[in-house]
Amino acid sequence: MTKIKANIGVAGLGRMGQRHALNILHQVPRAKLFAVCTPAPHEIEWAKAELAPEGVHVFQSFEEMIRTPGLDAVVIASPTELHIPQTLAAMQLEIHVLCEKPITRDISQLRDLMETAKQYPQTKVMVGFVRRFDENYMDAIQKIKSGIIGEPLIVRSQGAEKLDKSGFFIEYARQSGGIFVDTVVHDIDLTLSILGEEVRPKALWATGIIAHHHEMKDFKDVDNSVGVVEFWGGRIAYYYHSRTTSHGYDNCTDIIGTDGKISINLVPHYNRVQVSNASGIMQDCTPSWIDRYRKAFVTELNQFTDAILDNTELPMRLSAAYTGLKIATAFQESLETGRKIEFDENGDRIVSDGK
């Protein structure tokens, strides 16, 4: 008998985990929020107040949650170092997984996970690159596939976050893996969805500066970065990311093709209200990435649930996450060393004698 709803658990109840839990509870018709888990006392308290009255099981350990009969899938929003072990533990019980990015900062761990996944072909595993599920990007990708701009040649993508001087950002950044692994990886994944997940890097180079967060020098990171990657087949992607904007969250993308161009969100308007007065013409900017992708998180969960219940292909493959992480970690290395990094036609690193 085909299940009407998928029983889904959420691991980790920080800001992202809470968002996933509430979305499943209220906005994913084919899913039931079955259980949540977290070792953090304040998160347990939140879950007991907000979720337990709705019949959601609340656990302190991931192992206890995934061994509860009836669980079909988990959304992993735990700290990054737990992503791989929790994904493996769920896979071994044939529980489907949607894991937040980065699934790991270690490319070899992801390669090993892909090999292990072959032993569980009926278990679906997806990494949560939420921009793929934004209605604007989905529309743009469909237009590109229709041939409206010819063959896509160049992708220019930008992400810019509002300056945070509270101290929270610096502590987060120390553990993030670096600006390319933590944030530009979203733009890299968008590039793969636009140009095709089969594209392979040929060469890349990165640079950056510290404009405000001078503590980042201690852990070899920057608060403004630029990276350029050339792909085999004559395509190029250019990325700019900033963590120091004054106006809000600013994420935009251009795709230039042989017969035209598609642009997404070049002006980051929060709404359609425009004020014109003696000061000029003003419009509110999107405050944060949470506001920008609020609907996309719901779409992501709906598509993940549909793939589970209908036994259809996931909207993205682990191999795409692997390619994206390979490019992101190489960018991070180039940022630190100043070296151009090259790849062979299979997309494998070419290690020079000077390295």
Side-chain angles (χ1 to χ4, degrees):
M1 180 178 175
T2 303
K3 292 195 71 170
I4 298 175
K5 289 194 173 188
N7 289 330
I8 299 181
V10 175
L13 291 175
R15 181 169 62 166
M16 184 63 72
Q18 290 181 16
R19 175 168 296 275
H20 282 308
L22 293 174
N23 283 342
I24 294 167
L25 189 64
H26 299 298
Q27 300 192 67
V28 185
R30 302 185 74 191
K32 175 183 177 182
L33 183 61
F34 184 74
V36 296
C37 70
T38 174
H42 67 285
E43 294 175 3
I44 289 284
E45 185 177 342
W46 177 86
K48 286 182 176 178
E50 301 293 331
L51 306 179
E54 303 290 339
V56 180
H57 303 286
V58 180
F59 298 100
Q60 288 185 299
S61 80
F62 181 78
E63 292 72 19
E64 189 178 5
M65 183 179 77
I66 62 172
R67 294 189 178 279
T68 303
L71 187 66
D72 297 307
V74 291
V75 176
I76 297 176
S78 308
T80 300
E81 60 268 20
L82 297 177
H83 287 181
I84 289 289
Q86 288 184 346
T87 297
L88 286 169
M91 285 171 51
Q92 289 162 3
L93 294 175
E94 298 184 342
I95 294 171
H96 307 290
V97 177
L98 168 58
C99 184
E100 271 302 322
K101 55 66 55 187
I103 192 168
T104 177
R105 302 183 190 101
D106 184 340
I107 193 70
S108 64
Q109 282 191 337
L110 183 49
R111 184 168 55 243
D112 293 343
L113 177 67
M114 291 169 63
E115 287 301 312
T116 303
K118 294 177 183 178
Q119 303 172 29
Y120 304 94
Q122 300 305 313
T123 304
K124 301 181 186 298
V125 180
M126 188 175 93
V127 182
F129 284 104
V130 71
R131 290 190 199 174
R132 283 186 182 233
F133 303 93
D134 172 69
E135 59 186 355
N136 298 295
Y137 281 109
M138 289 193 296
D139 181 45
I141 289 169
Q142 287 303 312
K143 284 181 166 61
I144 291 166
K145 288 180 178 179
S146 75
I148 199 169
I149 62 167
E151 191 73 17
L153 300 175
I154 296 174
V155 175
R156 185 198 68 82
S157 198
Q158 168 183 308
E161 304 166 52
K162 196 167 185 177
L163 176 65
D164 171 27
K165 297 290 276 187
S166 70
F168 169 82
F169 167 72
I170 283 297
E171 293 311 307
Y172 168 81
R174 288 183 195 278
Q175 311 298 324
S176 71
I179 193 167
F180 286 97
V181 171
D182 182 47
T183 56
V184 180
V185 70
H186 278 292
D187 302 277
I188 296 167
D189 182 69
L190 272 180
T191 302
L192 299 180
S193 68
I194 291 163
L195 299 182
E197 293 183 356
E198 72 284 351
V199 296
R200 296 291 178 265
K202 182 178 181 182
L204 60 80
W205 179 77
T207 189
I209 59 173
I210 299 175
H212 288 274
H213 298 292
H214 297 285
E215 306 96 319
M216 301 184 83
K217 185 177 180 180
D218 297 338
F219 47 95
K220 299 179 181 179
D221 204 2
V222 297
D223 56 20
N224 283 264
S225 67
V226 171
V228 177
V229 56
E230 177 187 6
F231 295 94
W232 288 97
R235 297 171 179 182
I236 295 172
Y238 162 87
Y239 308 119
Y240 165 62
H241 196 89
S242 171
R243 286 164 157 166
T244 63
T245 61
S246 58
H247 57 280
Y249 182 69
D250 191 346
N251 171 218
C252 60
T253 304
D254 279 321
I255 304 101
I256 297 93
T258 54
D259 300 319
K261 180 178 82 167
I262 287 181
S263 300
I264 302 102
N265 198 46
L266 292 191
V267 180
H269 294 158
Y270 186 57
N271 55 38
R272 296 178 183 272
V273 177
Q274 189 177 82
V275 176
S276 301
N277 60 21
S279 299
I281 299 174
M282 295 168 289
Q283 211 160 359
D284 290 340
C285 182
T286 305
S288 70
W289 61 269
I290 286 286
D291 299 281
R292 172 68 178 86
Y293 292 110
R294 191 180 304 276
K295 292 181 181 179
F297 281 109
V298 176
T299 302
E300 177 185 60
L301 285 166
N302 274 301
Q303 291 196 19
F304 175 67
T305 303
D306 289 345
I308 293 170
L309 292 175
D310 300 334
N311 195 26
T312 54
E313 290 294 320
L314 290 167
M316 74 165 294
R317 299 173 294 175
L318 273 179
S319 58
Y322 177 78
T323 300
L325 184 60
K326 177 167 57 178
I327 293 171
T329 52
F331 267 136
Q332 205 68 40
E333 180 183 329
S334 178
L335 175 68
E336 294 181 19
T337 64
R339 295 193 184 103
K340 180 180 181 180
I341 295 176
E342 297 181 310
F343 303 81
D344 63 22
E345 292 190 46
N346 295 318
D348 296 324
R349 281 282 299 273
I350 298 173
V351 180
S352 65
D353 293 337
K355 183 178 182 301

